């Protein structure tokens, strides 16, 4: 899960905090800050990207138009999370924690807690996966509407193909092609994982995906503890 920076509350031309008459009107500002990516599954969504309320509207009506309660989510992540009662401290959040330290993507489309996590950290990571449905793996049901696991697997294959192409012809042009392909597809974490040994390209991924929290990484692109975060 990509760690992101939502940025400060947007202001108008007079420098005053913008008031969103409806929370959906924050979508454009959120996309400008975070890119057109689901904040949880990391897929690139060019339409119907929802304004997600970290603390659900149903239980926190005062936060319905609160910028600091917003993320972006695809239909599957948004509907799976739904209006469950949430205590923020029970989960990892891409705008608060360095979620790049919490989860690991694998070639078969599975997302798991990072192996270096302690017992309590692992439990928190598992709760986060269950909350968003990122733990779902329906390989025996090809008609399942939730196909996020399959899309992750396909993204992994695309990244591996790009890696092979780059190995065969490592030029600045080819590297730009890889970046364009990655940002068009989404799944930042998968590209970072597949290109683990290519520090230069990992730096490009961190810079090219709008809204990535750059302070969550050292000069060698290794994830760092996030100041103020739980991880």
């Amino acid at each position: 899960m990509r760690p992101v920076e939502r940025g400060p509350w947007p202001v108008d031309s007079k420098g005053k905090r913008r008031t969103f008459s409806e929370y959906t009107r924050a979508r454009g500002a959120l996309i400008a800050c975070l890119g057109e990516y689901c904040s949880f599954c990391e897929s690139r969504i060019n339409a119907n990207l929802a304004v997600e309320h970290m603390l659900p509207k149903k239980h926190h009506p005062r936060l319905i138009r609160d910028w600091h309660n917003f993320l972006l989510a695809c239909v599957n992540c948004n509907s799976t999370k739904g209006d469950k009662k949430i205590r923020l401290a029970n989960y990892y959040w891409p705008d608060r924690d360095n979620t790049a330290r919490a989860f690991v993507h694998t070639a078969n489309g599975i997302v798991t807690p990072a192996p270096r996590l302690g017992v309590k950290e692992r439990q928190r990571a598992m709760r986060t996966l269950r909350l968003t449905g990122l733990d779902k793996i329906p390989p025996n049901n090809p008609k399942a509407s939730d196909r996020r696991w399959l899309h992750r697997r396909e993204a992994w294959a695309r990244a591996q193909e790009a890696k092979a192409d780059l190995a065969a012809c490592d030029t600045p042009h080819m590297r730009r092609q890889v970046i364009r392909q990655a940002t068009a597809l989404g799944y930042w974490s998968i590209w970072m994982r597949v290109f683990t040994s290519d520090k230069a390209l990992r730096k490009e991924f961190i810079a090219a995906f709008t809204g990535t929290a750059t302070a969550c990484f050292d000069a060698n692109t290794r994830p760092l503890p996030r100041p103020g975060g739980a991880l």
Side-chain angles (χ1 to χ4, degrees):
M1 192 176 294
R2 182 174 67 116
V4 297
E5 291 279 3
R6 187 192 303 103
W9 197 304
V11 296
D12 60 21
S13 58
K14 297 180 180 179
K16 294 183 178 180
R17 178 185 286 189
R18 283 182 57 186
T19 299
F20 303 107
S21 56
E22 297 178 6
Y23 70 84
T24 54
R25 294 185 178 276
R27 181 184 290 109
L30 286 166
I31 289 174
C33 292
L34 304 176
E36 291 188 282
Y37 305 103
C38 175
S39 300
F40 302 114
C41 74
E42 305 183 40
S43 59
R44 170 75 183 259
I45 306 292
N46 295 324
N48 298 325
L49 193 57
V51 177
E52 147 72 11
H53 292 80
M54 297 163 61
L55 291 172
K57 305 185 294 291
K58 178 179 179 180
H59 307 297
H60 302 272
R62 291 184 177 180
L63 300 178
I64 286 179
R65 293 181 293 166
D66 190 317
W67 174 257
H68 300 295
N69 194 37
F70 294 156
L71 286 172
L72 292 168
C74 69
V75 171
N76 281 318
C77 289
N78 194 36
S79 61
T80 302
K81 182 170 171 287
D83 58 5
K84 299 180 181 72
K85 288 188 175 180
I86 287 174
R87 183 172 177 265
L88 290 177
N90 287 340
Y91 306 92
Y92 289 122
W93 300 97
D95 67 317
R96 296 176 175 224
D97 307 303
N98 188 350
T99 38
R101 304 180 70 220
F103 306 103
V104 170
H105 288 253
T106 60
N108 55 9
I110 296 174
V111 187
T112 62
R116 61 176 172 270
L117 297 181
V119 174
K120 291 185 177 179
E121 293 172 332
R122 183 179 180 81
Q123 292 171 344
R124 188 167 176 170
M126 282 304 305
R127 283 195 295 270
T128 305
L129 294 178
R130 286 194 294 268
L131 176 69
T132 54
L134 294 178
D135 61 332
K136 293 180 180 177
I137 309 167
N140 297 320
N141 182 8
K143 294 184 179 179
S145 59
D146 186 348
R147 296 165 65 82
R148 287 175 291 177
W149 69 276
L150 178 60
H151 297 157
R152 291 194 296 269
R153 195 171 67 179
E154 292 171 347
W156 185 283
R158 293 277 294 277
Q160 288 286 5
E161 289 174 1
K163 184 178 181 181
D165 290 344
L166 186 62
C169 181
D170 194 342
T171 65
H173 172 72
M174 185 62 76
R175 285 180 172 265
R176 289 194 296 273
Q177 288 281 70
V178 173
I179 294 296
R180 280 195 288 268
Q181 186 178 5
T183 53
L185 184 63
Y187 302 103
W188 174 89
S189 293
I190 289 175
W191 291 89
M192 289 288 284
R193 181 79 192 281
V194 168
F195 285 90
T196 296
S197 60
D198 193 326
K199 184 176 66 177
L201 204 47
R202 281 169 56 93
K203 286 184 176 180
E204 294 287 345
F205 291 142
I206 292 171
F209 278 73
T210 302
T212 304
T214 56
C216 285
F217 302 91
D218 67 13
N220 292 312
T221 72
R222 290 188 292 259
L224 298 167
R226 189 166 188 164
L231 196 64

